[in-house]
Amino acid sequence: ELKVEQNPLFLSMQEGKNYTIYCNYSTTSDRLYWYRQDPGKSLESLFVLLSNGAVKQEGRLMASLDTKARLSTLHITAAVHDLSATYFCAVVTGANSKLTFGKGITLSVRP
Amino acid sequence: EAQVTQNPRYLITVTGKKLTVTCSQNMNHEYMSWYRQDPGLGLRQIYYSMNVEVTDKGDVPEGYKVSRKEKRNFPLILESPSPNQTSLYFCASSLALGRGGYGYTFGSGTRLTVV
């Protein structure tokens, strides 16, 4: 059974500092997605990573994928309050292209 | 506007009273799915459909039914809701999940409370 683990589950960040969060998965996959969810809202797609070594950047967020290590990282540069949200990674596996989510990491940016 | 529309957004019901949560997408997507989100458990897949008349169980299908008679609609049916089905439900669709980088587009969610 595929396991997708995110850590830490909660991260309090100081404004202006850099942080990295992690997503590990337990089976072979070369397709990984990052989503953002604001409280009480739906999920918004952030990044799609399709191959080993893929790197995507949008604003202060940069995501990368290492399929050999089964690891994706989301790097936050100079955290700002607007980045406070819950971030999910999700991995596609299987013939039916099932999408399995991690439990999410809640980021909170403090002044 | 391309979107996934769920209704209702909020629903309070009583145990055992059948209900349907509707989901419709206007993007001609083949792949549709239902997830439930619970604190500490993340998102868990209930059912998915790869095309019209093709549906299959996800990780937590017990107590739920779905149908896919038309490409755009994928209703979630709770024949006899119970309090443990109190949750936030999301419908999602994809043109071709996993292929060509297509991910899911999510609906706004339905918060269901069963008392």
Side-chain angles (χ1 to χ4, degrees):
Chain A
E1 179 191 338
L2 169 64
K3 290 191 187 326
V4 181
E5 295 184 345
Q6 295 186 247
N7 62 81
L9 292 184
F10 179 82
L11 182 60
S12 178
M13 305 189 292
Q14 190 169 351
E15 233 172 25
K17 292 200 169 178
N18 301 335
Y19 296 88
T20 300
I21 61 177
Y22 302 91
C23 172
N24 288 89
Y25 53 98
S26 63
T27 193
T28 301
S29 175
D30 59 1
R31 290 164 286 177
L32 188 140
Y33 301 81
W34 282 95
Y35 288 87
R36 168 185 170 139
Q37 185 181 36
D38 292 299
K41 303 289 187 183
S42 185
L43 282 85
E44 172 192 354
S45 179
L46 289 176
F47 300 109
V48 179
L49 302 169
L50 294 180
S51 61
N52 187 41
V55 177
K56 294 278 184 75
Q57 181 158 11
E58 179 76 31
R60 299 175 187 273
L61 301 177
M62 183 173 72
S64 63
L65 178 62
D66 181 344
T67 58
K68 292 176 183 171
R70 299 177 185 171
L71 172 70
S72 180
T73 61
L74 184 64
H75 185 74
I76 299 144
T77 301
V80 293
H81 180 72
D82 283 353
L83 293 178
S84 297
T86 298
Y87 293 80
F88 292 92
C89 65
V91 175
V92 176
T93 58
N96 293 332
S97 295
K98 181 179 176 180
L99 190 64
T100 301
F101 284 81
K103 293 185 178 178
I105 297 175
T106 299
L107 303 183
S108 176
V109 181
R110 65 184 189 278
Chain B
E1 181 189 350
Q3 59 186 355
V4 178
T5 303
Q6 288 179 236
N7 279 297
R9 290 291 309 276
Y10 301 92
L11 179 60
I12 301 174
T13 190
V14 296
T15 299
K17 185 177 181 182
K18 180 179 178 180
L19 67 92
T20 299
V21 183
T22 64
C23 174
S24 180
Q25 49 91 7
N26 62 359
M27 297 168 280
N28 201 36
H29 283 175
E30 289 184 356
Y31 205 99
M32 297 186 74
S33 186
W34 277 101
Y35 285 85
R36 61 178 287 175
Q37 184 177 24
D38 301 289
L41 297 177
L43 283 95
R44 295 178 293 168
Q45 190 179 51
I46 303 170
Y47 269 95
Y48 64 95
S49 169
M50 297 183 75
N51 215 323
V52 175
E53 302 291 2
V54 180
T55 63
D56 207 348
K57 296 176 180 178
D59 296 316
V60 288
E62 294 76 22
Y64 304 94
K65 285 175 57 176
V66 293
S67 67
R68 187 94 182 269
K69 295 186 172 60
E70 309 164 276
K71 200 170 189 178
R72 62 184 294 128
N73 295 323
F74 191 45
L76 179 69
I77 302 156
L78 285 73
E79 294 270 3
S80 182
S82 63
N84 65 11
Q85 292 178 298
T86 293
S87 187
L88 178 58
Y89 291 86
F90 287 103
C91 179
S93 74
S94 176
L95 181 62
L97 186 67
R99 303 198 303 272
Y102 293 106
Y104 269 131
T105 300
F106 280 83
S108 299
T110 296
R111 186 165 291 282
L112 172 65
T113 303
V114 184
V115 297

